Amino acid sequence: MDSNQKLLVIIGPTAVGKTNLSIEMAKRYNGEIISGDSMQIYRGMDIGTAKITKEEMQGIPHHLIDIKDPEENFSVAEFQLLVRAKINEIAKRGKFPIIVGGTGLYVQSVIYDYQFSDVPGDETLRKELEERAKGIGNEALYKELQKIDPENATQIHPNNVRRVIRALEIFQLTGKTMKEFQSNQQPDLLYETALVGLTMDREMLYDRINRRVDLMIEQGLLDEVKSLFQKGLRECQSIQAIGYKEIYDFLDGKMTWDDTVEQLKQNSRRYAKRQMTWFRNKMDVQWFDMTDVNNLSKKIGEISQYVEGKLQVKSNTY
């Protein structure tokens, strides 16, 4: 890793305005954007993950979007390898790498020196846990994780059995929770990083989230999820994404449409709250309040000033 490599990271909750800011930053600093979202990697899951469109990209290259099929698994460790390689590749072309996303653990894994391979897998233990999951069910196994490592459990969906098993495996092999294991590593930043966080008045953010859900439905979210449902995709990591799991319940006849939409909005708001908690507790972030949407150019100027001071980079005139 090149500790002198300059890197801009833009984080924040869903619907706060990361996409628009990232395009402006990429234009100013001759940048290319790497998605730091754990669900935008999946092909055919565009509306529900608020994936950037070709028009919105405005010619700026984007990476780590549409690289997996929905039935494929994807781990933090794999993300870490891919993004670090992409940072090097972008830098070699003389461009400025910018990571943009809301999946805290994924972004954290790239910029800090976490060694996920430090705890080797135990095939026998894993098979035993897999059999337990089949016997007692996903929910019961997840409750076991909640008892021993409640903080890590909040980052994992109960149906993401692979990650639940890995967390239990780490605890049983080391006697430590994920947080204890990571704190012993005392990770350093691997790059010269400007970590920009976007925040917003909570009521305003929640209103934006609600309106975004309404827009997704107008754009055809139900048909997008139906196409996955009709392919028989079920116990997949991708289907645990907010917007997909709720509509699966609707298609299974478990909820009315109105209740589904309300549940989707509520889960999206809760996710935004969890994102903010994660970012505030886990990373050394420079926060910028985006509440005043009528003064965005001034805010972009403030952020640019911070980035230029932190990384000693110059903006293009465009």
Side-chain angles (χ1 to χ4, degrees):
M1 244 33 70
D2 179 3
S3 60
N4 295 319
Q5 171 59 51
K6 298 176 195 302
L7 176 69
L8 171 59
V9 179
I10 300 171
I11 59 172
T14 185
V16 79
K18 297 185 296 292
T19 298
N20 289 342
L21 175 66
S22 67
I23 295 296
E24 288 303 314
M25 294 293 107
K27 286 179 182 177
R28 284 183 185 229
Y29 303 111
N30 195 23
E32 295 190 12
I33 293 169
I34 303 169
S35 169
D37 187 289
S38 62
M39 289 298 165
Q40 293 188 357
I41 59 163
Y42 291 112
R43 302 180 190 102
M45 295 177 64
D46 304 336
I47 299 169
T49 64
K51 201 176 285 177
I52 190 168
T53 65
K54 287 286 179 198
E55 293 73 30
E56 288 168 338
M57 288 180 187
Q58 297 183 43
I60 303 294
H62 281 65
H63 306 278
L64 260 75
I65 293 174
D66 293 338
I67 61 168
K68 292 271 184 183
D69 289 325
E71 58 270 25
E72 294 182 86
N73 281 330
F74 191 62
S75 69
V76 180
E78 186 179 353
F79 178 83
Q80 183 189 67
L81 284 172
L82 288 173
V83 175
R84 287 178 180 173
K86 195 58 74 176
I87 288 169
N88 292 339
E89 177 195 310
I90 291 168
K92 278 179 184 171
R93 288 201 298 272
K95 297 294 190 76
F96 180 49
I98 303 171
I99 298 177
V100 183
T103 309
L105 179 62
Y106 278 58
V107 174
Q108 188 185 31
S109 76
V110 172
I111 63 177
Y112 291 100
D113 189 18
Y114 282 121
Q115 302 297 324
F116 290 101
S117 58
D118 279 2
V119 178
D122 184 308
E123 195 63 35
T124 308
L125 175 58
R126 192 173 305 146
K127 286 269 186 273
E128 187 182 304
L129 289 165
E130 285 169 358
E131 288 304 315
R132 274 184 63 67
K134 286 176 189 169
I136 64 175
N138 298 351
E139 191 70 37
L141 195 71
Y142 179 74
K143 281 178 180 170
E144 290 184 12
L145 178 62
Q146 282 181 312
K147 283 178 190 169
I148 62 170
D149 192 354
E151 185 174 352
N152 191 27
T154 63
Q155 304 298 319
I156 303 173
H157 190 277
N159 285 339
N160 195 336
V161 185
R162 188 178 52 80
R163 278 188 66 194
V164 171
I165 286 173
R166 179 57 178 156
L168 288 168
E169 187 183 16
I170 286 172
F171 181 79
Q172 292 191 30
L173 290 172
T174 66
K176 295 185 176 84
T177 65
M178 183 68 86
K179 182 179 180 181
E180 289 166 342
F181 170 65
Q182 289 180 339
S183 65
N184 286 345
Q185 291 188 348
Q186 296 178 325
D188 297 315
L189 276 168
L190 291 174
Y191 306 96
E192 197 179 328
T193 308
L195 196 46
V196 170
L198 305 186
T199 185
M200 182 176 278
D201 170 76
R202 189 170 69 173
E203 290 309 312
M204 183 176 178
L205 180 67
Y206 285 0
D207 182 59
R208 282 167 68 103
I209 289 169
N210 291 340
R211 283 189 284 121
R212 175 181 272 193
V213 169
D214 289 335
L215 180 61
M216 285 175 174
I217 289 163
E218 281 174 37
Q219 290 171 335
L221 179 59
L222 178 58
D223 286 339
E224 180 172 279
V225 180
K226 255 187 197 170
S227 71
L228 300 170
F229 185 86
Q230 287 165 353
K231 286 175 187 171
L233 295 177
R234 280 279 168 180
E235 297 300 320
C236 303
Q237 189 175 337
S238 60
I239 303 306
Q240 308 315 321
I242 293 170
Y244 297 84
K245 59 186 178 183
E246 294 86 358
I247 293 179
Y248 260 57
D249 283 346
F250 167 71
L251 294 171
D252 281 329
K254 294 177 183 175
M255 282 201 290
T256 66
W257 179 244
D258 286 348
D259 286 346
T260 300
V261 172
E262 189 47 51
Q263 185 77 60
L264 175 45
K265 289 178 178 177
Q266 187 180 74
N267 287 346
S268 298
R269 296 192 301 268
R270 283 175 177 164
Y271 178 59
K273 188 177 177 183
R274 288 201 307 273
Q275 284 176 302
M276 288 303 297
T277 302
W278 175 274
F279 294 138
R280 290 191 191 283
N281 292 341
K282 304 280 186 178
M283 295 183 185
D284 184 18
V285 181
Q286 182 70 35
W287 291 99
F288 293 89
D289 193 314
M290 308 300 283
T291 302
D292 187 2
V293 291
N294 296 319
N295 227 337
L296 281 182
S297 58
K298 183 185 173 190
K299 192 60 67 174
I300 288 168
E302 285 175 23
I303 294 168
S304 300
Q305 200 171 20
Y306 167 72
V307 171
E308 288 163 26
K310 179 85 173 173
L311 299 180
Q312 301 302 302
V313 292
K314 291 182 179 175
S315 67
N316 301 324
T317 50
Y318 67 93

